[in-house]
Amino acid sequence: MVFNENFEIELNNIKNEALTKLTDINKIDLLEIWKQEYLGRKSKFNDLLKLLGKIDSIEQKKFMGELANKIKEVLNQAYENCQQSLYELEITKQIESESIDITLPGLNRKSGHYHPLSLICEAIGDIFQGMGFNQVFGPEVETNYYNFDALNIDFDHPARDEQDTFYTNVAPHVLLRSQTSTVQIRAMEKTNPPLKIISIGRVYRNEEINARKYPIFHQVEGLYVNKNVNFGQLKWTLQKFINLFFERDLKTRFRPDFFPFTEPSAEVDCECPFCETQGCKTCGYKGWLEILGCGMVHPNVLKNIGSNYENAEGFAFGMGVERLAMIKFGINDIRYFYNNDIRFIEQF
Amino acid sequence: MKFSYSWLNDFVNLSNISPQALADKLTNYAFEVEEVSTYGANIVGPIIAGKILEINPHPNADKIRLTKVQITDTEIRDIVCGAWNIEVGNVVPVALPGALVLNRHDNSVLPIKKSKIRGQTSDGMLCSPAELGLNNNDSNGIYILDNFYPGQNLIENLYLNQDFILHIEPRSNRPDALSHFGMAREIAAIYDLPLIEPQTNLDKFKQHYENFLKLNIIIENFDDCPYFLLVALKNFKTLPSPLKIQRRLESIGVRSINFIVDITNYVLHEMGQPMHAYDYNKLNQNNNFIVRKALPNEIITAIDNREKILDSTNLIIANDNLPLSIAGIMGGKDSEISDTTNTIVLESATFNAKTIRHSSRKLGLSSDSSLRFERGVIKAYNLNSLQRALYLILNYGLTQNPDLKYSAVFAQGNSENDLIELTVSPSKINNTLGLALTIDQISNMLMRLGFKIVSTANNELVVTPPNYRLKDITSPIDVIEEIARLYGYENIPLNKADSIDSLPLNTNISNMAKSVLVGYGFNEIWTSSLIPKNISANSIRVLNPISRDHEVLRESLIPGLIEVFKYNLDRQYKDIWIFENAFTYTIKDNNNNSTQSLNPKRTNVQETRMLSALIYGNNENSNWLAHTKELDYSTYFRLKGILENVLASLGMDLNLITYEIINHPQLHPGRSAKFAYNANVKTDIGIIGEFHPQLNNKFNLKNRASLFELDLNKCEQFKTKAKFKPIAVTPVVSRDITIDVLKNLLQQDLKSAIINYADSKLINCELTSRYQLNENTTSLTYRLNFQDPQATLTSIEIDSYIDLIKLNLSKNYQVSFR
C-alpha cells in the first residue's frame, strides 16, 4: 500500500515538476529537451511506468495505469500548447525584427514618356478613325504637281515662291510639301469614290524660327468624297471632332475664307475652352481659337483626278498638330517640341 | 487693314449697327475683324464757335480774365479764361455747360458746368486743341479758328467725334474690298441696305475746266498696263490739307503729308485705287508719259530718297528718257509734289498684278499702292477714282485757289471688261450646301451682291457677276460660295455624314516598337528632319534654306539623336534614354536620275521609317539600397537586349538575326555592329554600337553611351502574325554544356552551330555563363532545354543528342569540352 501511495505521489510530483518547468520554457529547442526529459523513452516518467508491472493487485494496477495515462495526456497536451504558443511567438518576433519603414521610396526605373506631338497625333487619329476615316500616308518630299498644280493653286500663286516653299536639288519640280493636302490627291488617284481618309504628317515652310513658327510642323488632312456630300455634313464632322478633342461641347464659328482647293471655304474657330469667350492669354483675349481650315473640295481638284471623280462631291479640312497641342497643353512656344528637353517631354 | 467706322458710314447707313455688331457680322459673313479700337477722345457737345467781343481783367485775380463771347447772332456769354493768346475778334471753340472735353493736365474727362470762378460767373469754357482731343503742337493756348463764324457746330466741323477703327484681315481673293467704299458695298449686301455712291460729279465745277494742255500716253505693252488715265490741274497754290481728310487718314494710320498727297491717299483708301501725282513744272515741258519696262541699270531716285537700280522686271512711267515713277510702287523724287508745285498731273491706272508683284519683289520695295496692284485693282474704277480725286481737290481747294483749272482726262488702253455669264442650278446649290432655297431667294441674294440675273428659265440661273468681282467669280462654284456666305455659314444646319465601307486598317508597326521603348523608360523625341550639311554627297539639299542648321534632309536619325543627347547632357541630365521614330530621306538609284525626274509626278526620293534609340546612364531612380557596379561594356549589351525585345515585338524571329562588326564614324570600332535578318535572303536592317571613344572625349562623358538605328520599313516585310502552338505537357529536360573556344569564334556562330547540330527536340539554347580563361580562350556554358511533346525523353536519348553536338562541334571548330 505504501508503495502504491508512493507511486501515486511520485507520478503527481513528476507531473507538477514538468508543468512548472514548462512555464519557464521560451524556445523550441528547450521545449524539445523538456519533452525528452519528461515524455521521452529515458524519462523519469517512463522509468516509473516500468515499475507499474510490479504491482500485484490488478485493481491497483489498473488504477495506476489509468492515472499514468491521464498524466501523460496532460503533459502531451501541455507540450502541444507550448509548442503552438512558442511558434506564434517566433513569428511575432520575426515580424517585429523584419518590419521596415514602408514609406521608403519604391525601387524603379524612370518611366518613359511619349512626345506630346505623338499623343496629339494619336488622339486625332483615334477620333477620326472612330468617325470612319481611314488613316493614310503620303511622302514629304513632293512634286509641284501634288503640292500645287493638282490643288488648283495658280502657277503664279505667292505660296510657290521660294520665300514660302523649300525647293530641292533633286529636280526643279521636287520640293518639300508645304501642306498635307497633297495626300488628298494621292488617295483619290489610288481609290475610287466613296473615300473617307485622314492623313497626319510633316510639312515644311520657309519661315524664320520664333515662338509661334518653325520651318517644320505637322498637319492633319481630312477628306470625304461621295455622292451628295454637303457643307452641313462638314460642319457636323468638325463640330464632333472639336467636342471629342477638347473633351467637352464647345461652340464653333465657321467663317468664310479662301483656299484654292476648296469652295466654299471656311476657317473654323472654337470657343476658347479656357475662358468660354471671355478672353484669356491662350486665345489672345479674343475668346475664340482658330482651329482649322476647311471647305467643299473645289470642282477643279476633282476634275483633275479623272472621270471617276467628276460627279462626286467632297469636303476637306486641315489643321496644325502643333497648334492643337499648344492649345491642349497650354504650351506657349513651338520650339519646345523640337528642343526635346527631357524636362519638357517628361511632363506628358 | 484699318477701316474707319464713320468713313464706312459715308456709303452705308450704319446708324442701327454698332461698331462691335458690325465687326461680329463681318467676321461671320466675309472678313475676319481682328480688333475694334477707338480713335480720338470721347468729346461731347455742345461745342460751338464763338467770337470774342470783350476781354476784361478779373477783379479778384491776376492770372485769369473775363471775356464776353458771342455764341450766336443773339446770344452773348460771360466766360472766365486763363489763357493769354486770345484777342478781341478771335473766333474760338466754346464748350457750353453739358459738354465733355478733356482735362489738359491728365486727359481725363472734364464735364463743363455753369460756375463761379473767384466770384465771377463763367458760362462755359474756351478750349485749347488738347482739350478737344486734337494733337496740334501749339496746344497751350486757346485754339484760334480760321474761317469759322459764331454758332457753327464744332463737333461736326472739327470732326471731334470719337471714331471706331475696325482691323480687318484682307483676303487675297477680294481686291474689291481693300477700300472703304468696297467694304461698305460688302456691308450693304450683307445687311441688305442701300449703297451710297461717293460724290464724283464734276458738273458744279464746270467753269474750272480748261483745255490748257495735251498729254501723250504711250503704252509699250497692254498686258502690263491695260488702262492708263491722266488729268492735269493748274494754278495750284499749296494749302493745308482739309481737317476732315487729315483726321480720317490719321485714324487709319496714314500720316498727313500735304494737300495733294493726302487727297491721293484718301482716294486710295476710299476707292481702293492707287493714284500718283506728278509736279508738271519739273517735267521740262515734256508731255509724253511712256509706260514701259525699265532698261538694264536704269536708275531712279524714289520719294524715299533712295536710288533704285532698275531692270526689265520693273515697269516704269517715263518721260522720254527720264524715269518718273516705278509703276504701281513708288514715285520718283524728281517729279515729286512740293509746296511750290503749280501744275499737277494725276495718274490713275491699272497695272498687271504679276508685273507689279515681280517688280516689287525684285526691288524689295512695297507700298500701299503695290499691295493693291498685286492683288488686282478694279479697272472699272480707274476713271471714277480719278474723278473722285478731282472732286475732292476742287471741293476743298477752290476757296483758297479760286483760279484752279482742270484739264480733260487723257486715256490710253481699254476700260471695257469682258463680262461672263455663269449658269448654276438651285438644286446644285442646295445639294452642296444642304439647304432648300428657292430660285427667287437665290436671285435676291445674288442681286444684293451686285450680280445681274440674265435668266431664270428652265429652273436654271444665268447670272453675270459685277465688274468689281471678275477676279474671284469665274465659275459656278464661286456663285455657290457667295450664296453660302450671304445665307450665313452659321445658319447652315449640321448634317450627319454618311458612313462608308472602310478600307483595311493601316496598322502601324512603329506603335508597337514605341510602346516597348516607352515601357523600358525611354523618352520619345521629335527632331528636325532638316539638319546641317554633312559629308554625304547623296543627301537631298534644300536650295533656299533658312539657315545652315537646316540645309539637308537627314539620311539617318543618328545626328538628331546625338544632338538631343548633347542638349540634355548640357542641362545636367545624368541618365538619358531617348528614342525617335521618324523618316530618313535618300535619292533612289542615282544613275537613272535624269529620266525619272522628267515625270512631274515623281520625285525619285525614298522615305524610310526608322527607329533609333540611345541609352546613357542606367535610368533608374536613385537606388538607396545598393549600387551595382556595371561592366564597362554593359550599355552595349543592355541596349542589344532592348533591341531584341523591340524586334520580337514586331513579330520577328530572333534566331534569324545575325550581327557583324562595322566601322561607323560615331561608333566604337570594336563595339559596334550592323545586324541583318536572314529570312530568305540576308537583309541588313540596322546598326547598333557604343559611342566612339573620341565622341566620349568630345562630350567629356563619365559613362558609356550606346545607340541603335533600325529600318522599320524592312522590318515590316518580315513581320509575322502570332499563331498558337499547343502547350506540351511532357517535362522539359535541361542539360548544361560548357565549351572552351578560341576568342575569335563569335558566340553567334557557336550558338547557331549548336542549334544546327541538335536534335529537333531542342526547344531553346541559352548562354548562362561566360568566363575568360586566358587571353585567347573563353569558356562558354549553354543551357539546352529538350522536350518531346509526345513522350518523356530518357536520359539516354538526351546523352545521345549532347554527344552528337559535341562530336560535330569538335569536327568543325577548335573547341574542347569540360
Side-chain angles (χ1 to χ4, degrees):
Chain A
M1 203 61 213
V2 173
F3 171 79
N4 289 349
E5 274 173 14
N6 284 346
F7 193 83
E8 191 177 344
I9 290 165
E10 197 68 10
L11 271 178
N12 277 321
N13 279 349
I14 290 172
K15 179 186 110 183
N16 291 339
E17 184 192 313
L19 291 177
T20 309
K21 265 201 171 172
L22 194 62
T23 55
D24 291 336
I25 284 172
N26 57 4
K27 274 185 183 163
I28 289 282
D29 45 354
L30 295 179
L31 179 66
E32 289 309 312
I33 293 169
W34 177 89
K35 194 182 177 186
Q36 291 295 323
E37 196 178 342
Y38 295 100
L39 291 166
R41 272 191 289 134
K42 290 177 179 172
S43 63
K44 286 186 198 166
F45 190 76
N46 240 14
D47 292 347
L48 265 180
L49 284 186
K50 285 173 195 156
L51 297 177
L52 208 60
K54 296 182 177 162
I55 297 174
D56 298 335
S57 150
I58 292 173
E59 249 175 57
Q60 279 285 338
K61 209 181 207 169
K62 194 184 167 197
F63 172 79
M64 287 302 162
E66 278 172 4
L67 183 66
N69 272 337
K70 223 184 235 167
I71 288 172
K72 192 176 179 184
E73 216 166 274
V74 167
L75 291 184
N76 263 326
Q77 189 61 48
Y79 167 80
E80 273 169 31
N81 287 348
C82 186
Q83 190 187 38
Q84 180 62 27
S85 65
L86 278 182
Y87 176 72
E88 281 167 14
L89 191 71
E90 207 92 331
I91 290 289
T92 310
K93 274 188 187 157
Q94 185 191 349
I95 288 168
E96 258 168 39
S97 70
E98 286 177 359
S99 289
I100 54 166
D101 178 352
I102 41 77
T103 65
L104 282 167
L107 294 178
N108 60 359
R109 290 198 164 282
K110 285 179 188 156
S111 56
H113 295 263
Y114 287 100
H115 194 278
L117 294 178
S118 263
L119 298 173
I120 294 293
C121 287
E122 197 167 320
I124 294 170
D126 286 353
I127 291 170
F128 283 112
Q129 208 128 301
M131 290 197 270
F133 286 82
N134 260 97
Q135 205 159 336
V136 298
F137 297 93
E140 293 168 23
V141 183
E142 260 295 1
T143 63
N144 252 316
Y145 177 78
Y146 288 108
N147 201 62
F148 295 124
D149 301 345
L151 289 165
N152 198 35
I153 297 171
D154 270 2
F155 185 70
D156 208 53
H157 195 278
R160 293 188 185 233
D161 274 6
E162 291 204 343
Q163 289 169 23
D164 290 293
T165 301
F166 288 121
Y167 288 86
T168 70
N169 64 337
V170 177
H173 71 278
V174 176
L175 45 78
L176 307 188
R177 68 174 174 191
S178 59
Q179 54 202 7
T180 44
S181 306
T182 53
V183 188
Q184 286 184 26
I185 308 299
R186 287 180 174 276
M188 286 192 282
E189 282 182 348
K190 250 185 246 163
T191 317
N192 287 336
L195 184 66
K196 208 171 179 184
I197 54 141
I198 64 154
S199 184
I200 308 178
R202 183 167 284 203
V203 299
Y204 301 80
R205 303 255 171 105
N206 194 343
E207 284 174 328
E208 287 300 323
I209 297 173
N210 61 36
R212 298 260 134 208
K213 285 180 172 173
Y214 204 81
I216 291 158
F217 59 101
H218 298 80
Q219 282 187 336
V220 181
E221 188 75 17
L223 174 74
Y224 172 43
V225 185
N226 203 346
K227 281 184 207 116
N228 300 324
V229 177
N230 64 48
F231 197 86
Q233 294 172 337
L234 171 61
K235 282 182 74 174
W236 180 87
T237 303
L238 294 176
Q239 178 71 56
K240 260 269 168 319
F241 166 74
I242 287 168
N243 292 350
L244 290 168
F245 183 78
F246 289 108
E247 297 164 272
R248 49 186 286 207
D249 289 354
L250 291 173
K251 277 188 225 126
T252 55
R253 199 166 74 167
F254 283 69
R255 289 185 284 106
D257 206 331
F258 171 72
F259 310 113
F261 34 92
T262 51
E263 188 159 8
S265 304
E267 191 76 47
V268 183
D269 299 338
C270 78
E271 132 190 52
C272 175
F274 303 101
C275 66
E276 285 151 358
T277 71
Q278 296 307 296
C280 69
K281 219 173 148 191
T282 305
C283 60
Y285 302 95
K286 282 181 174 175
W288 295 89
L289 289 166
E290 212 172 288
I291 296 288
L292 54 90
C294 65
M296 304 302 293
V297 180
H298 198 291
N300 291 353
V301 173
L302 295 171
K303 207 162 49 185
N304 277 340
I305 305 294
S307 54
N308 288 332
Y309 277 86
E310 220 158 345
N311 293 315
E313 280 170 320
F315 65 68
F317 53 85
M319 57 191 114
V321 176
E322 277 80 355
R323 175 158 176 77
L324 287 170
M326 287 168 87
I327 293 169
K328 185 134 185 178
F329 296 127
I331 297 165
N332 58 6
D333 193 325
I334 194 169
R335 288 170 291 199
Y336 279 120
F337 294 121
Y338 298 98
N339 285 343
N340 295 295
D341 193 314
I342 291 175
R343 291 165 297 185
F344 172 75
I345 298 166
E346 279 179 341
Q347 295 180 33
F348 304 97
Chain B
M1 222 184 122
K2 292 180 182 176
F3 288 84
S4 149
Y5 177 76
S6 73
W7 200 343
L8 292 170
N9 188 56
D10 286 0
F11 309 115
V12 58
N13 183 355
L14 298 176
S15 51
N16 292 320
I17 305 163
S18 75
Q20 192 55 53
L22 178 63
D24 291 344
K25 195 82 167 177
L26 277 173
T27 297
N28 282 337
Y29 282 77
F31 297 89
E32 187 186 5
V33 180
E34 290 169 325
E35 193 193 338
V36 179
S37 59
T38 58
Y39 169 73
N42 190 15
I43 305 292
V44 174
I47 298 172
I48 57 173
K51 187 174 185 178
I52 299 172
L53 301 180
E54 286 178 29
I55 304 177
N56 299 312
H58 191 290
N60 307 321
D62 296 339
K63 291 191 174 163
I64 50 177
R65 296 185 291 180
L66 307 178
T67 66
K68 282 196 185 296
V69 182
Q70 184 189 354
I71 57 164
T72 66
D73 287 353
T74 55
E75 199 180 345
I76 294 167
R77 296 220 181 173
D78 292 315
I79 294 171
V80 178
C81 178
W84 290 77
N85 69 325
I86 47 169
E87 287 167 20
V88 171
N90 283 162
V91 177
V92 297
V94 184
L96 299 178
L100 298 178
V101 298
L102 292 185
N103 184 326
R104 68 191 157 94
H105 300 297
D106 60 4
N107 276 343
S108 61
V109 175
L110 180 64
I112 303 300
K113 283 176 285 198
K114 183 171 179 172
S115 60
K116 288 211 162 173
I117 299 174
R118 300 249 179 143
Q120 297 295 317
T121 298
S122 188
D123 204 0
M125 184 174 111
L126 308 188
C127 300
S128 68
E131 283 159 341
L132 298 177
L134 300 172
N135 298 329
N136 298 34
N137 292 332
D138 52 347
S139 51
N140 286 325
I142 299 301
Y143 189 4
I144 312 294
L145 300 167
D146 293 330
N147 304 319
F148 278 88
Y149 54 83
Q152 250 181 316
N153 179 347
L154 294 184
I155 293 286
E156 239 169 61
N157 287 292
L158 289 179
Y159 308 98
L160 298 179
N161 272 328
Q162 192 172 39
D163 199 358
F164 295 89
I165 307 301
L166 279 66
H167 303 246
I168 303 179
E169 180 72 28
R171 294 240 313 260
S172 59
N173 64 329
R174 293 294 305 275
D176 61 296
L178 291 171
S179 66
H180 281 78
F181 178 62
M183 190 58 77
R185 188 166 49 206
E186 188 72 20
I187 295 166
I190 294 169
Y191 284 96
D192 201 6
L193 289 170
L195 180 69
I196 304 154
E197 296 279 337
Q199 267 296 353
T200 55
N201 193 331
L202 299 173
D203 283 356
K204 65 174 175 174
F205 306 117
K206 252 195 298 207
Q207 68 275 24
H208 293 278
Y209 170 74
E210 186 186 313
N211 196 4
F212 63 89
L213 54 47
K214 180 159 179 6
L215 300 173
N216 307 315
I217 303 164
I218 300 149
I219 299 174
E220 198 179 67
N221 183 343
F222 287 103
D223 287 342
D224 291 329
C225 176
Y227 196 44
F228 191 90
L229 299 171
L230 291 173
V231 73
L233 286 142
K234 72 169 182 179
N235 302 334
F236 180 80
K237 279 198 302 268
T238 186
L239 73 162
S241 174
L243 195 60
K244 176 179 174 181
I245 286 187
Q246 283 190 39
R247 297 273 287 169
R248 283 244 169 116
L249 289 176
E250 189 185 81
S251 76
I252 57 164
V254 179
R255 199 164 47 94
S256 169
I257 312 252
N258 61 39
F259 182 86
I260 293 294
V261 173
D262 283 5
I263 298 267
T264 58
N265 279 336
Y266 191 84
V267 172
L268 167 72
H269 291 283
E270 186 171 81
M271 306 296 292
Q273 174 65 47
M275 310 205 52
H276 187 61
Y278 301 90
D279 185 339
Y280 178 76
N281 309 101
K282 294 177 182 168
L283 301 183
N284 305 321
Q285 310 296 320
N286 188 330
N287 288 2
N288 290 337
F289 284 78
I290 305 161
V291 187
R292 63 165 168 86
K293 286 287 174 69
L295 303 170
N297 296 320
E298 214 166 352
I299 288 171
I300 185 171
T301 305
I303 55 169
D304 64 0
N305 286 322
R306 293 202 184 138
E307 228 174 50
K308 319 281 177 200
I309 300 163
L310 307 172
D311 63 28
S312 61
T313 326
N314 306 115
L315 190 68
I316 59 168
I317 318 300
N319 180 324
D320 288 343
N321 293 324
L322 183 73
L324 301 178
S325 69
I326 310 165
I329 302 175
M330 199 173 272
K333 190 80 190 160
D334 292 343
S335 56
E336 191 183 9
I337 297 291
S338 73
D339 283 353
T340 59
T341 301
N342 175 265
T343 303
I344 298 156
V345 174
L346 280 180
E347 167 198 300
S348 175
T350 298
F351 299 116
N352 183 311
K354 279 181 217 171
T355 307
I356 301 303
R357 196 172 93 229
H358 292 146
S359 174
S360 160
R361 289 272 160 108
K362 188 82 189 240
L363 291 170
L365 186 66
S366 71
S367 62
D368 274 347
S369 282
S370 67
L371 287 176
R372 282 175 175 78
F373 280 116
E374 281 180 30
R375 292 191 159 101
V377 151
I378 313 297
K379 195 164 70 168
Y381 282 84
N382 284 172
L383 181 60
N384 247 356
S385 303
L386 192 69
Q387 284 168 338
R388 177 66 176 156
L390 273 181
Y391 180 92
L392 291 170
I393 291 169
L394 295 162
N395 192 44
Y396 287 108
L398 280 178
T399 338
Q400 289 179 63
N401 280 329
D403 299 330
L404 206 54
K405 299 283 190 235
Y406 67 97
S407 75
V409 172
F410 304 93
Q412 194 59 258
N414 183 4
S415 71
E416 292 298 304
N417 283 304
D418 298 329
L419 294 180
I420 52 164
E421 282 184 359
L422 298 170
T423 305
V424 56
S425 70
S427 65
K428 173 73 182 161
I429 294 173
N430 287 328
N431 282 345
T432 305
L433 303 180
L435 295 174
L437 300 170
T438 64
I439 199 161
D440 287 345
Q441 285 174 301
I442 294 167
S443 306
N444 181 276
M445 280 193 256
L446 289 175
M447 283 190 290
R448 273 160 64 188
L449 287 161
F451 285 76
K452 285 200 182 67
I453 310 298
V454 179
S455 147
T456 55
N458 304 324
N459 210 25
E460 271 198 338
L461 273 162
V462 182
V463 298
T464 302
N467 60 10
Y468 47 86
R469 296 292 299 277
L470 298 177
K471 268 240 142 106
D472 75 309
I473 298 177
T474 56
S475 66
I477 193 69
D478 302 321
V479 179
I480 297 176
E481 180 177 50
E482 288 302 291
I483 299 293
R485 236 164 40 80
L486 210 61
Y487 185 81
Y489 284 11
E490 60 188 351
N491 298 320
I492 297 175
L494 300 190
N495 205 332
K496 189 171 183 295
D498 299 334
S499 50
I500 63 169
D501 283 347
S502 285
L503 300 168
L505 271 188
N506 219 330
T507 47
N508 194 343
I509 65 163
S510 51
N511 285 348
M512 189 46 109
K514 278 162 71 170
S515 66
V516 169
L517 290 174
V518 168
Y520 266 113
F522 285 80
N523 285 310
E524 189 191 8
I525 61 171
W526 285 39
T527 68
S528 169
S529 32
L530 288 169
I531 61 170
K533 205 166 161 175
N534 51 21
I535 42 166
S536 165
N538 289 331
S539 55
I540 299 165
R541 193 160 42 81
V542 169
L543 299 177
N544 50 334
I546 57 156
S547 75
R548 293 202 167 278
D549 288 341
H550 299 84
E551 212 170 336
V552 299
L553 282 173
R554 63 183 169 211
E555 291 167 276
S556 160
L557 299 182
I558 291 174
L561 204 58
I562 293 177
E563 178 78 27
V564 172
F565 166 69
K566 175 148 194 327
Y567 182 94
N568 285 291
L569 192 71
D570 289 346
R571 281 153 188 79
Q572 276 104 44
Y573 251 81
K574 290 186 186 67
D575 296 317
I576 300 170
W577 285 38
I578 49 179
F579 77 96
E580 183 168 23
N581 165 228
F583 288 102
T584 59
Y585 314 81
T586 44
I587 299 182
K588 272 188 268 187
D589 155 85
N590 237 346
N591 311 327
N592 216 358
N593 201 353
S594 51
T595 47
Q596 281 264 355
S597 42
L598 284 178
N599 185 336
K601 286 187 170 188
R602 288 181 182 272
T603 59
N604 200 29
V605 168
Q606 169 70 39
E607 296 181 18
T608 312
R609 184 169 276 285
M610 306 288 272
L611 181 73
S612 68
L614 180 153
I615 61 172
Y616 175 75
N618 60 23
N619 210 32
E620 274 167 2
N621 286 323
S622 65
N623 185 339
W624 47 271
L625 272 180
H627 288 277
T628 48
K629 180 118 177 83
E630 301 216 355
L631 296 171
D632 78 328
Y633 48 75
S634 61
T635 67
Y636 172 86
F637 291 115
R638 188 184 259 204
L639 187 64
K640 187 168 180 269
I642 294 168
L643 169 68
E644 284 167 350
N645 275 353
V646 168
L647 293 170
S649 80
L650 301 180
M652 297 171 81
D653 181 354
L654 295 184
N655 289 321
L656 298 180
I657 291 165
T658 53
Y659 294 79
E660 195 178 318
I661 203 135
I662 49 153
N663 260 320
H664 184 282
Q666 264 98 32
L667 300 179
H668 192 305
R671 295 180 178 180
S672 56
K674 66 175 183 182
F675 47 97
Y677 200 66
N678 300 275
N680 294 316
V681 286
K682 187 172 167 183
T683 313
D684 287 337
I685 55 172
I687 59 169
I688 179 167
E690 198 181 281
F691 269 22
H692 197 288
Q694 286 172 355
L695 200 57
N696 278 348
N697 293 341
K698 188 174 150 196
F699 295 151
N700 200 12
L701 298 187
K702 292 193 181 66
N703 295 311
R704 303 295 183 121
S706 286
L707 58 79
F708 73 72
E709 184 174 42
L710 173 65
D711 184 328
L712 291 179
N713 278 19
K714 286 189 182 141
C715 294
E716 179 100 56
Q717 304 167 22
F718 303 124
K719 187 172 73 174
T720 52
K721 284 185 188 134
K723 194 163 183 290
F724 171 73
K725 285 191 276 306
I727 296 161
V729 291
T730 50
V732 174
V733 184
S734 296
R735 201 56 77 79
D736 284 0
I737 167 170
T738 297
I739 314 163
D740 293 350
V741 299
L742 291 180
K743 198 183 160 195
N744 60 5
L745 178 61
L746 293 177
Q747 184 277 147
Q748 155 185 293
D749 296 337
L750 180 65
K751 183 177 170 182
S752 68
I754 295 172
I755 294 169
N756 197 20
Y757 302 142
D759 189 272
S760 62
K761 306 287 185 316
L762 179 76
I763 54 168
N764 62 48
C765 163
E766 218 181 326
L767 180 72
T768 51
S769 89
R770 179 180 181 277
Y771 180 69
Q772 187 92 32
L773 290 173
N774 54 50
E775 209 175 305
N776 295 316
T777 320
T778 49
S779 172
L780 301 168
T781 303
Y782 287 90
R783 171 151 302 163
L784 309 181
N785 288 319
F786 296 91
Q787 187 183 32
D788 180 349
Q790 313 301 338
T792 301
L793 292 166
T794 64
S795 71
I796 298 164
E797 283 170 304
I798 305 285
D799 287 344
S800 70
Y801 301 151
I802 296 291
D803 289 344
L804 187 66
I805 291 168
K806 285 182 175 174
L807 182 71
N808 278 306
L809 284 178
S810 329
K811 243 191 261 172
N812 296 298
Y813 298 94
Q814 218 177 323
V815 294
S816 57
F817 304 96
R818 296 172 171 252

